[in-house]
Amino acid sequence: MKPFEYHEPKSTAEAVGLLSKLGPSVKILAGGTDLIIQMEQRTCMPRHVVNVMRIPELQGVSGRSGTITIGAATSLREVETSPLLRDKAPVLCEAVSTIGSIQIRNLATVGGNLCNAAPSADAAPPLLILEARVRTVGPQGERDLPLKEFFKGPRQTALQADELLAAIEIPEPPCGFRGIYYKQSPRYAMDIAIVGVAVGVLRSNGKCDEARISLGAVAPIPLRVAEAEAILNGNSPEERLVNTAAEISRDAAKPISDVRASADYRRAMVETLVRRGLNTLLSN
Amino acid sequence: MKTYPIELTVNGEKYSLEVEGRERLLEVVRSRLNITGPKEGCSTGDCGACTMVVNGKPVTSCLVLAVAVNGAEVTTVEGIGNAAKLDPVQKAFVEHGGIQCGICTPGFVVMTKAFLEENPHPTEEEIRFGLSGNLCRCTGYAKIVESVMAVAASDA
């Protein structure tokens, strides 16, 4: 690893000040499970490293007046085991539990998973169907934007160089909302998704009031598939509609072929997993 | 190069050192404190041979900067038991053949210990999930899982 200067701010204000002052050769260190590897392999050689793990405002899961707030530097393991999230948004806990190992999830943070903006980030699809918003902090103050506007491309987010992701905010899902996450991966553990599918459904009186479908690892950014959702919204869940929604989702995917899977396989898996998710959630 | 003063408590013993920002916890513990139980396998967090418990949580110490855990309580396999007094986890690994070449064993023992503290009576499936971040290239895992099941059963 190349030498660097280490900084340990105690507040987001101090962190933002450091980011502005230190300029382009600065990297934010959170859990380190990506950054330390990149620095060790010298694919990333910052002159300054700003560790945000000692900033109390960025830690923890809390709920207040219908909103669940997850500090950006909260570990994935804490998200996975949080009683509040297990109760209100278990689909997120389920998805996060597929990332790395317990050792990795004790280090890695939910903010890091989003800020890396890997198309395969497992936290993204469940947070998208939960309609999460993100709060950022910069020299001009705070910004609040929907998560789906946060992703700009592979490894690119809406964050400015001197901005920090502060929190993820989830509106408490309505009673009766259920979600499911499927991760298709070459290995059962310790590998990234080749397809990630999150499906959420809100039902009443036998009808599908609202469907939410999100895809990971099959496009430059994690997607919501509004056209597929619209087919189901307000309708009785018939097989024909479920199949159509799955086909639209498949066509919305723009995957690449790589060492893990071909684009064709990924597309086929999107259709299968969306159909499976909808059938599971709408069948009982 | 600039150094930073840090304090670490490793296996109950307190150390004060000056470290560079780039020094990882694994290399500080191994090379500077001569505590060599934790092994460097993959250097990317995949193999778990470097697992240590830091402030109560098992982590892959190859991905941790020492300066970032200033003040931490750290446990390595040396803090769990020794040849004269084996921990029940170590005893079970020996008795059930959960060891062969031994490189992965310190990581497995530390992880098993931390895992059983959180979940003292796991199912086989939970054990495989809990230990999925530790790789062994010799045993094929069956005997490791048996070892962990034996500890959990003896404790019941």
Coordinates of all heavy atoms in Angstrom, one line a residue, chain A residues 193-253:
Chain A
A193 N -23.7 -11.0 -7.0 CA -24.9 -11.4 -7.7 C -24.6 -11.4 -9.2 O -23.9 -10.4 -9.7 CB -26.1 -10.5 -7.3
I194 N -25.1 -12.3 -9.9 CA -25.2 -12.2 -11.4 C -26.5 -11.7 -11.8 O -26.7 -11.0 -12.8 CB -24.8 -13.5 -12.2 CG1 -25.7 -14.6 -11.7 CG2 -23.4 -13.8 -12.0 CD1 -25.4 -15.9 -12.5
V195 N -27.5 -11.9 -10.9 CA -28.8 -11.3 -11.0 C -29.3 -11.1 -9.6 O -29.2 -12.0 -8.8 CB -29.8 -12.2 -11.8 CG1 -31.2 -11.5 -11.8 CG2 -29.4 -12.4 -13.2
G196 N -29.8 -9.9 -9.3 CA -30.5 -9.7 -8.0 C -31.9 -9.2 -8.3 O -32.1 -8.3 -9.1
V197 N -32.9 -9.8 -7.8 CA -34.3 -9.4 -8.0 C -35.0 -9.1 -6.7 O -35.0 -10.0 -5.9 CB -35.0 -10.4 -8.8 CG1 -36.5 -10.1 -8.9 CG2 -34.5 -10.5 -10.3
A198 N -35.5 -7.9 -6.5 CA -36.4 -7.7 -5.4 C -37.8 -7.4 -5.9 O -38.0 -6.6 -6.8 CB -35.8 -6.5 -4.6
V199 N -38.7 -8.1 -5.2 CA -40.1 -7.9 -5.6 C -40.9 -7.5 -4.3 O -40.7 -8.2 -3.3 CB -40.7 -9.2 -6.2 CG1 -42.2 -9.0 -6.5 CG2 -40.0 -9.6 -7.5
G200 N -41.8 -6.6 -4.4 CA -42.6 -6.2 -3.3 C -44.0 -6.1 -3.7 O -44.3 -5.7 -4.8
V201 N -44.9 -6.4 -2.8 CA -46.4 -6.4 -3.2 C -47.2 -5.9 -2.0 O -46.9 -6.3 -0.8 CB -46.8 -7.9 -3.6 CG1 -48.3 -8.0 -3.5 CG2 -46.3 -8.2 -5.0
L202 N -48.1 -5.1 -2.3 CA -49.1 -4.6 -1.3 C -50.5 -5.1 -1.7 O -50.9 -4.8 -2.9 CB -49.1 -3.1 -1.2 CG -49.9 -2.5 -0.1 CD1 -49.5 -2.9 1.2 CD2 -49.9 -0.9 -0.2
R203 N -51.1 -5.9 -0.9 CA -52.3 -6.6 -1.3 C -53.5 -6.2 -0.4 O -53.3 -5.9 0.8 CB -52.2 -8.1 -1.2 CG -51.3 -8.7 -2.2 CD -51.1 -10.1 -1.9 NE -52.3 -10.9 -2.3 CZ -52.5 -12.2 -1.9 NH1 -51.6 -12.8 -1.2 NH2 -53.6 -12.8 -2.3
S204 N -54.7 -6.1 -0.9 CA -55.9 -6.0 -0.1 C -57.0 -6.6 -0.9 O -57.1 -6.5 -2.1 CB -56.2 -4.6 0.3 OG -56.5 -3.8 -0.8
N205 N -57.9 -7.3 -0.2 CA -59.1 -7.9 -0.8 C -58.8 -8.7 -2.0 O -59.5 -8.6 -3.0 CB -60.2 -6.8 -1.1 CG -60.5 -6.0 0.1 OD1 -60.6 -6.5 1.2 ND2 -60.7 -4.7 -0.1
G206 N -57.8 -9.5 -2.0 CA -57.4 -10.3 -3.1 C -56.8 -9.6 -4.3 O -56.5 -10.2 -5.3
K207 N -56.7 -8.3 -4.2 CA -56.1 -7.5 -5.3 C -54.7 -7.2 -5.0 O -54.3 -7.1 -3.9 CB -56.9 -6.2 -5.5 CG -58.1 -6.4 -6.4 CD -58.6 -5.1 -6.9 CE -59.8 -5.2 -7.9 NZ -60.5 -4.0 -8.1
C208 N -54.0 -6.9 -6.1 CA -52.6 -6.4 -5.9 C -52.7 -4.9 -6.0 O -52.8 -4.3 -7.1 CB -51.7 -7.0 -7.0 SG -50.1 -6.2 -7.1
D209 N -52.7 -4.2 -4.9 CA -52.8 -2.8 -4.9 C -51.6 -2.1 -5.5 O -51.7 -1.2 -6.3 CB -53.0 -2.2 -3.5 CG -54.3 -2.6 -2.9 OD1 -55.2 -2.9 -3.7 OD2 -54.5 -2.6 -1.7
E210 N -50.5 -2.7 -5.2 CA -49.2 -2.1 -5.7 C -48.2 -3.2 -5.8 O -48.0 -4.0 -4.9 CB -48.8 -1.0 -4.7 CG -47.9 0.0 -5.4 CD -47.4 1.0 -4.3 OE1 -48.1 1.3 -3.3 OE2 -46.3 1.5 -4.6
A211 N -47.5 -3.2 -6.9 CA -46.3 -4.1 -7.1 C -45.1 -3.2 -7.3 O -45.1 -2.2 -7.9 CB -46.5 -5.0 -8.3
R212 N -44.0 -3.7 -6.7 CA -42.7 -3.0 -6.9 C -41.7 -4.1 -7.3 O -41.5 -5.1 -6.7 CB -42.3 -2.3 -5.7 CG -43.3 -1.3 -5.2 CD -42.8 -0.7 -3.9 NE -43.9 0.2 -3.3 CZ -43.8 0.6 -2.0 NH1 -42.8 0.3 -1.2 NH2 -44.8 1.4 -1.5
I213 N -40.9 -3.7 -8.4 CA -40.0 -4.7 -8.9 C -38.6 -4.0 -9.2 O -38.6 -2.9 -9.8 CB -40.5 -5.3 -10.3 CG1 -41.8 -6.0 -10.0 CG2 -39.4 -6.2 -10.9 CD1 -42.5 -6.4 -11.3
S214 N -37.6 -4.5 -8.7 CA -36.3 -3.9 -8.8 C -35.2 -5.0 -9.2 O -35.3 -6.1 -8.7 CB -35.9 -3.2 -7.5 OG -34.6 -2.7 -7.7
L215 N -34.3 -4.6 -10.1 CA -33.3 -5.5 -10.6 C -31.9 -5.0 -10.3 O -31.6 -3.8 -10.5 CB -33.5 -5.6 -12.1 CG -34.9 -5.9 -12.7 CD1 -34.8 -5.9 -14.2 CD2 -35.5 -7.1 -12.1
G216 N -31.0 -5.9 -9.9 CA -29.6 -5.6 -9.7 C -28.8 -6.4 -10.6 O -29.2 -7.5 -11.0
A217 N -27.6 -5.9 -10.9 CA -26.5 -6.7 -11.7 C -26.9 -6.9 -13.1 O -26.2 -7.7 -13.8 CB -26.2 -8.0 -11.0
V218 N -27.9 -6.3 -13.7 CA -28.3 -6.6 -15.1 C -28.4 -5.3 -15.9 O -29.0 -5.3 -17.0 CB -29.6 -7.3 -15.2 CG1 -29.5 -8.8 -14.6 CG2 -30.8 -6.6 -14.5
A219 N -27.8 -4.2 -15.4 CA -27.8 -2.9 -16.1 C -26.7 -2.1 -15.5 O -26.2 -2.4 -14.4 CB -29.2 -2.2 -16.0
P220 N -26.4 -0.9 -16.1 CA -25.3 -0.1 -15.5 C -25.6 0.3 -14.1 O -24.7 0.6 -13.2 CB -25.2 1.1 -16.4 CG -25.7 0.6 -17.7 CD -26.8 -0.4 -17.4
I221 N -26.9 0.5 -13.8 CA -27.4 0.8 -12.4 C -28.5 -0.1 -12.0 O -29.2 -0.7 -12.8 CB -27.8 2.3 -12.3 CG1 -29.0 2.6 -13.3 CG2 -26.7 3.3 -12.6 CD1 -29.6 3.9 -13.0
P222 N -28.8 -0.2 -10.7 CA -29.9 -1.0 -10.2 C -31.2 -0.3 -10.7 O -31.3 1.0 -10.7 CB -29.8 -0.9 -8.7 CG -28.4 -0.5 -8.4 CD -28.0 0.3 -9.5
L223 N -32.2 -1.1 -11.2 CA -33.4 -0.5 -11.8 C -34.6 -0.7 -11.1 O -34.8 -1.8 -10.4 CB -33.6 -1.2 -13.2 CG -32.5 -1.2 -14.2 CD1 -32.9 -2.0 -15.4 CD2 -32.2 0.2 -14.7
R224 N -35.6 0.2 -11.2 CA -37.0 -0.2 -10.9 C -37.7 -0.4 -12.2 O -37.4 0.3 -13.2 CB -37.7 1.0 -10.2 CG -37.6 1.0 -8.7 CD -38.5 0.0 -8.0 NE -39.9 0.4 -8.0 CZ -40.6 1.1 -7.1 NH1 -39.9 1.5 -6.0 NH2 -41.9 1.3 -7.1
V225 N -38.6 -1.3 -12.3 CA -39.3 -1.5 -13.6 C -40.8 -1.1 -13.5 O -41.7 -1.9 -13.3 CB -39.2 -3.0 -14.0 CG1 -39.5 -3.2 -15.5 CG2 -37.8 -3.6 -13.7
A226 N -41.0 0.2 -13.7 CA -42.3 0.8 -13.5 C -43.3 0.2 -14.5 O -44.5 0.0 -14.1 CB -42.2 2.3 -13.7
E227 N -42.9 -0.1 -15.7 CA -43.8 -0.6 -16.7 C -44.4 -2.0 -16.3 O -45.6 -2.3 -16.5 CB -43.2 -0.8 -18.1 CG -42.5 0.5 -18.6 CD -41.1 0.7 -18.0 OE1 -40.6 -0.2 -17.3 OE2 -40.6 1.8 -18.2
A228 N -43.5 -2.8 -15.7 CA -44.0 -4.1 -15.2 C -44.9 -4.0 -14.0 O -45.9 -4.7 -13.9 CB -42.8 -5.0 -14.9
E229 N -44.6 -3.0 -13.2 CA -45.4 -2.8 -12.0 C -46.8 -2.4 -12.4 O -47.8 -2.8 -11.8 CB -44.7 -1.7 -11.1 CG -43.3 -2.2 -10.6 CD -42.6 -1.0 -9.9 OE1 -43.1 0.1 -9.8 OE2 -41.5 -1.3 -9.4
A230 N -46.9 -1.5 -13.4 CA -48.1 -0.9 -13.8 C -49.1 -2.0 -14.3 O -50.3 -1.8 -14.1 CB -47.9 0.1 -14.9
I231 N -48.6 -3.1 -14.9 CA -49.4 -4.1 -15.3 C -50.2 -4.8 -14.2 O -51.4 -5.2 -14.4 CB -48.5 -5.3 -16.0 CG1 -47.8 -4.7 -17.2 CG2 -49.3 -6.5 -16.3 CD1 -48.6 -4.6 -18.4
L232 N -49.6 -4.8 -13.0 CA -50.2 -5.5 -11.9 C -51.0 -4.5 -11.0 O -52.0 -5.0 -10.3 CB -49.1 -6.2 -11.1 CG -48.4 -7.2 -11.8 CD1 -47.0 -7.4 -11.2 CD2 -49.1 -8.5 -11.8
N233 N -50.6 -3.3 -10.9 CA -51.2 -2.4 -10.0 C -52.8 -2.3 -10.1 O -53.3 -2.0 -11.2 CB -50.6 -0.9 -10.1 CG -49.2 -0.9 -9.6 OD1 -48.7 -1.8 -8.9 ND2 -48.5 0.2 -9.9
G234 N -53.5 -2.5 -9.0 CA -54.9 -2.4 -9.0 C -55.7 -3.6 -9.6 O -56.9 -3.6 -9.6
N235 N -54.9 -4.6 -10.0 CA -55.6 -5.7 -10.6 C -55.6 -7.0 -9.8 O -54.8 -7.1 -8.9 CB -54.9 -6.1 -12.0 CG -55.2 -5.0 -13.0 OD1 -56.3 -4.5 -13.1 ND2 -54.2 -4.7 -13.8
S236 N -56.5 -7.9 -10.1 CA -56.4 -9.2 -9.5 C -55.2 -9.9 -10.1 O -55.0 -9.9 -11.3 CB -57.7 -10.0 -9.8 OG -58.8 -9.4 -9.3
P237 N -54.5 -10.6 -9.2 CA -53.3 -11.2 -9.7 C -53.5 -12.5 -10.6 O -53.7 -13.6 -10.0 CB -52.5 -11.6 -8.4 CG -53.6 -11.7 -7.4 CD -54.7 -10.8 -7.8
E238 N -53.6 -12.3 -11.9 CA -53.8 -13.5 -12.7 C -52.4 -13.9 -13.3 O -51.5 -13.1 -13.5 CB -54.7 -13.1 -13.9 CG -56.1 -12.8 -13.5 CD -56.8 -12.1 -14.7 OE1 -56.5 -12.3 -15.8 OE2 -57.7 -11.3 -14.4
E239 N -52.4 -15.2 -13.7 CA -51.2 -15.8 -14.2 C -50.7 -15.0 -15.4 O -49.5 -14.7 -15.5 CB -51.4 -17.2 -14.5 CG -50.1 -18.0 -14.8 CD -50.3 -19.4 -15.3 OE1 -51.5 -19.9 -15.1 OE2 -49.4 -20.0 -15.8
R240 N -51.6 -14.6 -16.3 CA -51.3 -13.9 -17.5 C -50.5 -12.6 -17.2 O -49.5 -12.2 -17.8 CB -52.6 -13.6 -18.3 CG -52.5 -12.9 -19.6 CD -53.9 -12.8 -20.2 NE -54.8 -12.2 -19.3 CZ -55.0 -10.9 -19.2 NH1 -54.4 -10.1 -20.0 NH2 -55.9 -10.4 -18.3
L241 N -51.0 -11.9 -16.2 CA -50.4 -10.6 -15.8 C -49.1 -10.7 -15.2 O -48.1 -10.0 -15.5 CB -51.4 -9.8 -14.9 CG -52.7 -9.4 -15.4 CD1 -53.5 -8.6 -14.4 CD2 -52.6 -8.6 -16.7
V242 N -49.0 -11.8 -14.4 CA -47.7 -12.1 -13.7 C -46.6 -12.4 -14.8 O -45.5 -11.9 -14.8 CB -47.8 -13.2 -12.7 CG1 -46.4 -13.8 -12.3 CG2 -48.6 -12.8 -11.5
N243 N -47.0 -13.2 -15.8 CA -46.1 -13.6 -16.9 C -45.7 -12.3 -17.7 O -44.5 -12.2 -18.0 CB -46.7 -14.6 -17.8 CG -46.8 -16.0 -17.1 OD1 -46.1 -16.2 -16.1 ND2 -47.7 -16.8 -17.6
T244 N -46.7 -11.5 -18.0 CA -46.4 -10.3 -18.7 C -45.4 -9.4 -18.0 O -44.4 -8.9 -18.5 CB -47.6 -9.5 -19.1 OG1 -48.6 -10.4 -19.7 CG2 -47.4 -8.3 -20.0
A245 N -45.6 -9.2 -16.6 CA -44.7 -8.4 -15.8 C -43.3 -9.0 -15.8 O -42.3 -8.2 -15.9 CB -45.3 -8.3 -14.4
A246 N -43.2 -10.3 -15.8 CA -41.9 -10.9 -15.8 C -41.2 -10.7 -17.1 O -40.0 -10.5 -17.2 CB -42.1 -12.4 -15.5
E247 N -42.0 -10.8 -18.2 CA -41.4 -10.5 -19.5 C -40.9 -9.1 -19.7 O -39.9 -8.8 -20.3 CB -42.4 -10.9 -20.6 CG -42.5 -12.4 -20.8 CD -43.9 -12.8 -21.5 OE1 -44.5 -11.9 -22.2 OE2 -44.3 -14.0 -21.4
I248 N -41.7 -8.2 -19.2 CA -41.3 -6.7 -19.3 C -40.1 -6.5 -18.5 O -39.2 -5.8 -19.0 CB -42.5 -5.8 -18.9 CG1 -43.7 -5.9 -19.8 CG2 -42.0 -4.4 -18.8 CD1 -44.9 -5.2 -19.3
S249 N -40.0 -7.1 -17.4 CA -38.8 -7.0 -16.5 C -37.6 -7.5 -17.3 O -36.5 -6.9 -17.3 CB -39.0 -7.7 -15.2 OG -40.1 -7.3 -14.5
R250 N -37.8 -8.7 -17.9 CA -36.6 -9.3 -18.7 C -36.2 -8.3 -19.7 O -35.0 -8.1 -19.9 CB -37.1 -10.6 -19.3 CG -36.1 -11.3 -20.2 CD -36.8 -12.2 -21.2 NE -37.7 -11.5 -22.1 CZ -38.7 -12.1 -22.7 NH1 -39.0 -13.4 -22.4 NH2 -39.5 -11.4 -23.5
D251 N -37.1 -7.7 -20.5 CA -36.8 -6.8 -21.5 C -36.2 -5.5 -21.0 O -35.5 -4.8 -21.8 CB -38.0 -6.5 -22.4 CG -38.4 -7.8 -23.2 OD1 -37.6 -8.7 -23.3 OD2 -39.6 -7.9 -23.6
A252 N -36.5 -5.1 -19.8 CA -35.9 -3.9 -19.2 C -34.4 -4.1 -18.8 O -33.7 -3.2 -18.7 CB -36.7 -3.5 -18.0
A253 N -34.0 -5.4 -18.6 CA -32.7 -5.6 -18.2 C -31.7 -5.4 -19.4 O -32.0 -5.8 -20.5 CB -32.6 -7.1 -17.7

